[in-house]
Amino acid sequence: MVFESANNTDEDDTVTDDNNRYGFVDGKAYLARDPETIEDYRDTALAAERYISRFQVSDADGIYWRVPGEDRIDVTLHHGSAGGYYFYIKLYKALGDERYKNIAKGAADYTAEHWHLGIESPSNPPFPLSELGLHYGIAGTGLGLLDAYQEFDDERYLQAAERIADFYRGQVHSQATGSYWTDNAVLMLDGGVLLFLAQLYLAKKQHDETLRELIESAARHILSKGIRTDSGALRFDEFRAYSDATIPGFMVGSAGIGYLFAVLADVFDNATYLKAAKDVALYLDEQATPVGGGVLNATSSSQEGSTYWLGICSGVAGIARLFFKLYQLTGDDAYLHAIGNRVDGLEALGAPEHESLGLWNTLSYCCGVPGLLQFFIGLYAHDGDPRWKALARRSARVLLGQAEVQDDGSVVWPLAWEHAHKDVITRPIGYFNGAQGIAASLIQLYQLERGAFAWSRLISDPLPANLEFQAQ
């Protein structure tokens, strides 16, 4: 996500070299490399794991990773122990190495014991109260724990997730329109809390009706904040508390809130929520502008023109999650066409091979090419269209080419985390901001090329877990 601060502590000459090699230029081609064999994807991911392991710490409570450049323990899904768990469980399931399973278990153990650090020592929050929300907050930590519960059938992880839910119960505010925590509906904040609580509701062997009542009360409050257009479309201007822009995207915009309602429509079979999700999709189509032969949703506009983010956070790969979820719920191919139109717009800007204002010199899963790689793989898993596989391979060429090989043969990716500071190059290791997420996307393509794709997803991602088109 764009709002985190970053510090580069390298010497001046290294900073200069980094900016010469990795600095942002609109339209610049990323460094790219063709794989020698499909094993190149796997081997690059494993070289990244060796770099990540430099920061691994084991203690009596489990495993966590030091955040490079910071004297702080992080437990978030974004770049802490919950994200580390998610990375290593994926490595284990894809490659079968018991060492990765043991690391994943250790990270889940640590996260279950210390989830509260996400409140006591927030993860460089991009704005106030983000420690309560999804990727930067304990809602995302809870999603990681629920995934660990599903994988290991260990009640301790479910119990820790329930303690997080109890924390939310204790912090809830209520008014006539319903319940809330931060009073901001975006997925980065209250919307993310509801995704976690909905996943907890599904995970419990017996449905908790008091939990359902809390979820539905908060959903009513969020729905009350929607703004109707003249056509009846629905938008949310929640991020105006932090920006003058009307954000259409996934983590901090209307698309993510629409996606939340699509998930709740699925979980509770609720027609009101489904209509809300459809009406947000209508708004996104109304707001879209022609770009090349397709369309895109502008993240911001000025006299100099519009900026079109392309990744998961605020761009095509995230906005498409709402349309794909609606396709799953309705079977309406128009939602798939809406995704294809946006990919047309994405390619018109030169992605995935070229930088732009909305796909800058970041290689993060959140905002950059790794998220696009997973997105294209997911589309291919649905329908087997060769276009999606070709785009996935093109994305992977960038990740192979941008990889920086260390003296010991390990790999990391220098990148500019902040959109506002494209000249600040760091080498993060987390899932959403760095090497873990990049390596995970390469492992997915390795699986796909071998014809044995399996990638279970969090509730925030509706794309297929298996090659659906082969089963049709």
Side-chain angles (χ1 to χ4, degrees):
M1 183 55 200
V2 64
F3 307 98
E4 181 177 359
S5 298
N7 295 302
N8 194 320
T9 59
D10 294 341
E11 297 297 328
D12 290 345
D13 57 345
T14 303
V15 171
T16 301
D17 289 344
D18 277 353
N19 287 333
N20 287 339
R21 186 170 176 82
Y22 305 112
F24 172 75
V25 178
D26 193 6
K28 170 180 152 183
Y30 290 107
L31 302 172
R33 178 173 69 82
D34 288 318
E36 295 181 7
T37 67
I38 62 172
E39 282 72 26
D40 208 349
Y41 302 133
R42 177 200 63 196
D43 294 345
T44 302
L46 294 182
E49 189 278 329
R50 292 199 298 276
Y51 185 88
I52 294 161
S53 68
R54 295 183 186 184
F55 302 90
Q56 182 177 312
V57 178
S58 299
D59 68 15
D61 293 332
I63 291 173
Y64 64 92
W65 290 264
R66 290 179 291 108
V67 179
E70 297 183 26
D71 184 21
R72 181 178 53 82
I73 298 173
D74 192 288
V75 295
T76 65
L77 188 63
H78 191 272
H79 60 276
S81 58
Y85 153 77
Y86 194 66
F87 171 60
Y88 276 93
I89 197 63
K90 298 302 188 186
L91 276 188
Y92 167 67
K93 295 182 75 175
L95 304 177
D97 189 328
E98 289 289 323
R99 182 172 74 88
Y100 303 139
K101 178 181 179 180
N102 293 336
I103 294 173
K105 192 79 162 59
D109 289 347
Y110 192 88
T111 305
E113 186 68 25
H114 295 284
W115 63 267
H116 53 85
L117 290 177
I119 297 296
E120 297 166 4
S121 179
S123 171
N124 271 348
F127 40 82
L129 300 179
S130 55
E131 66 271 17
L132 295 178
L134 197 57
H135 297 155
Y136 283 91
I138 59 170
T141 302
L143 285 183
L145 288 166
L146 291 173
D147 189 83
Y149 170 62
Q150 180 177 352
E151 294 293 345
F152 294 115
D153 195 26
D154 188 327
E155 289 287 331
R156 293 178 304 148
Y157 305 143
L158 178 61
Q159 291 165 4
E162 289 178 323
R163 287 194 290 273
I164 294 175
D166 287 341
F167 174 87
Y168 284 122
R169 285 185 174 102
Q171 296 292 316
V172 71
H173 302 278
S174 297
Q175 59 185 47
T177 52
S179 302
Y180 64 92
W181 292 271
T182 70
D183 204 20
N184 193 303
V186 299
L187 290 191
M188 193 67 79
L189 296 169
D190 285 1
V193 176
L194 290 196
L195 281 183
F196 160 64
L197 294 179
Q199 185 64 72
L200 178 61
Y201 178 81
L202 293 172
K204 298 181 73 167
K205 292 181 174 64
Q206 291 186 328
H207 286 165
D208 182 338
E209 291 309 308
T210 63
L211 182 59
R212 175 173 180 159
E213 290 169 6
L214 176 60
I215 294 168
E216 299 217 71
S217 175
R220 287 195 302 274
H221 180 67
I222 289 176
L223 190 55
S224 74
K225 297 160 77 67
I227 300 168
R228 291 285 176 184
T229 69
D230 292 341
S231 67
L234 186 63
R235 80 173 196 268
F236 291 85
D237 283 352
E238 294 298 281
F239 206 64
R240 283 192 177 275
Y242 308 102
S243 167
D244 291 336
T246 297
I247 306 292
F250 189 68
M251 287 306 301
V252 292
S254 292
I257 300 170
Y259 180 79
L260 167 67
F261 281 114
V263 168
L264 296 181
D266 193 12
V267 173
F268 299 124
D269 192 23
N270 185 300
T272 298
Y273 299 152
L274 180 59
K275 183 178 187 305
K278 289 179 176 180
D279 290 347
V280 172
L282 176 61
Y283 163 70
L284 291 169
D285 278 340
E286 290 181 349
Q287 193 253 5
T289 55
V291 176
V295 300
L296 291 172
N297 293 94
T299 300
S300 61
S301 299
S302 66
Q303 292 181 345
E304 289 74 33
S306 297
T307 297
Y308 302 102
W309 285 31
L310 304 181
I312 292 173
C313 172
S314 291
V316 172
I319 290 170
R321 292 183 175 186
L322 167 60
F323 288 101
F324 195 83
K325 185 68 178 178
L326 284 171
Y327 165 75
Q328 290 176 322
L329 293 175
T330 67
D332 188 343
D333 286 341
Y335 293 119
L336 295 182
H337 294 317
I339 295 172
N341 288 341
R342 284 166 175 79
V343 177
D344 290 341
L346 176 151
E347 287 197 88
L349 291 185
E353 291 89 354
H354 294 83
E355 296 178 2
S356 64
L357 289 174
L359 190 72
W360 65 102
N361 53 332
T362 183
L363 270 292
S364 70
Y365 169 74
C366 175
C367 305
V369 175
L372 293 181
L373 174 52
Q374 176 166 302
F375 169 52
F376 296 137
I377 290 172
L379 294 180
Y380 179 79
H382 169 62
D383 63 14
D385 188 332
R387 179 191 185 189
W388 310 134
K389 182 181 276 190
L391 279 163
R393 288 169 171 167
R394 288 164 54 188
S395 300
R397 289 185 71 250
V398 171
L399 301 184
L400 295 180
Q402 293 278 144
E404 181 184 76
V405 181
Q406 309 300 298
D407 291 342
D408 62 356
S410 65
V411 162
V412 72
W413 286 266
L415 57 88
W417 171 239
E418 284 192 76
H419 187 265
H421 298 287
K422 303 179 188 68
D423 58 339
V424 179
I425 307 299
T426 57
R427 292 161 174 80
I429 65 167
Y431 199 95
F432 280 80
N433 74 336
Q436 291 174 359
I438 301 169
S441 68
L442 289 171
I443 288 292
Q444 289 178 65
L445 185 55
Y446 171 67
Q447 286 187 309
L448 188 68
E449 296 285 18
R450 294 178 67 231
F453 181 73
W455 198 265
S456 59
R457 301 174 187 274
L458 300 175
I459 197 171
S460 54
D461 185 352
L463 291 170
N466 304 101
L467 298 179
E468 289 183 344
F469 68 91
Q470 290 186 348
Q472 294 173 358

